[in-house]
Amino acid sequence: MAQRGTRGTLGVAVIGTGRMGADHVRRIQEVTSGARVTAVVDIDAERAKAVAARVDGCTAYTDPAVAMAAADVDAVLVASPGPAHEAALLAAFARDLPVLCEKPLTPDAASALRVLEAERQLGRRRVQVGFMRRYDAEYMKLEQLLRTGQLGRPLLLHHRHRNVASPSGWTSDMLINDSVVHEMDVTRWLLGQEITAVTVLRPTPSVNAPDGLQDPQFVLFETDGGAVADVEIFVNCGFGYQVRAEVVCERGTARVGDGHAMVTHMAGRWGGTIAQDYLERFASAYDREVQAWVDATRRGEVTGPGAWDGYAAAAVCEAGVRALTEGGRVGVDLEERPALYR
Ligand code: NAD
């Protein structure tokens, strides 16, 4: 059996084997060093068995708590839907297991606070939250540049977030809770500031948006450092998955996400390709995120975005959904940040 906090191979239980979970299983097996998948869990037993069958020495379970009790499980990767996260996190805390929890930490601020309180009672951080943009090479460069102070104080942040088409059943609040949540985290992280208020403007929906879906939306954040960020979220743009950010500072600007990795010239035109989804656009970021989690866990540490970041994003999401449905500018209510997260 692997030992946490040593150089032994980490045995990971992956909870939820849908789109993200199955991709993380593949990643841990094929890309990540220092870890292997020893358990997969899904309430859909057949799905769990099918994923387990592709991995040597991996057992399929339907109950997360039973998997976490297995002798070969040292750490947990939660990739079930958001409403299932709180129970999985509390079960992991009960066994003092380190967790990488896909975003959201939980779907609302009250449940996120319960998780925060449970982790605080353990007396040390146990959770890394899956805000993978913090591990994207371009975003990392942008964050490092801002930290040097060369550009001066950040004044404005412009985000663009576009998807080819929304999954069936998507509702207008999901654009805030599932998509813009990434810009909430990136804004807080890049600026080192908390978001204090949200406003959502609602342009006439695209003809390509399913009936009743408010798409696109234009979201504004104000921060406690006096910066303003805007987010265009457009989840039925039709042409590709695009995520861009530009920071406007007192002495210059910096932009990421132009996607100019390769430019071709052919038949009188020039151009490149556009990623079609997040698994493609952020493939290296997910790889780096999971490797960072495994490395830190094997050192007995927790790094990266944590439960406080998950809670803060949940609180901003709540304000964002109110701004979307009720209109106007909605303030964000944040509890005082506990010492564990300072
Ligand atoms: P999905 O619907 O494809 O898969 C979810 C899986 O979890 C399903 O197989 C389902 O049967 C299983 N499940 C449901 N309840 C469960 C429970 N209580 N215990 C165990 N398994 C359970 O969803 P997805 O797109 O893979 O999303 C999973 C998580 O990843 C969500 O939290 C989502 O927000 C997040 N996500 C993150 C990113 C990112 O870029 N970081 C992108 C997409 C999704």
Side-chain angles (χ1 to χ4, degrees), residues 14-24 41-45 47-48 61-64 78-85 87-88 101-105 130-133 177-178 181-182 241 278-279 282 286 289:
V14 176
I15 300 181
T17 53
R19 191 142 196 254
M20 284 309 293
D23 195 50
H24 283 315
V41 188
D42 205 296
I43 50 171
D44 179 339
R47 186 174 289 179
Y61 299 86
T62 52
D63 182 342
V78 177
S80 47
H85 290 186
C101 181
E102 262 306 342
K103 64 86 193 160
L105 179 69
F131 286 125
M132 81 297 183
R133 285 202 203 162
N177 286 327
D178 288 77
V181 66
H182 285 291
Y241 179 84
Y278 47 85
L279 292 181
F282 286 110
Y286 294 120
E289 169 191 67

Side-chain angles (χ1 to χ4, degrees), residues 153-156 187-188 191-197 221-228 250:
R153 188 168 57 90
L155 306 169
L156 298 165
T187 299
R188 296 180 58 256
L191 301 181
Q193 298 169 15
E194 293 294 357
I195 295 169
T196 51
F221 304 141
E222 294 164 56
T223 73
D224 60 2
V228 170
E250 286 171 324

Side-chain angles (χ1 to χ4, degrees), residues 17 22-23 25-26 29 47-56 58:
T17 53
D23 195 50
V25 169
R26 175 201 59 76
Q29 289 306 111
R47 186 174 289 179
K49 273 190 214 154
V51 174
R54 300 199 287 267
V55 181
D56 276 352
C58 177

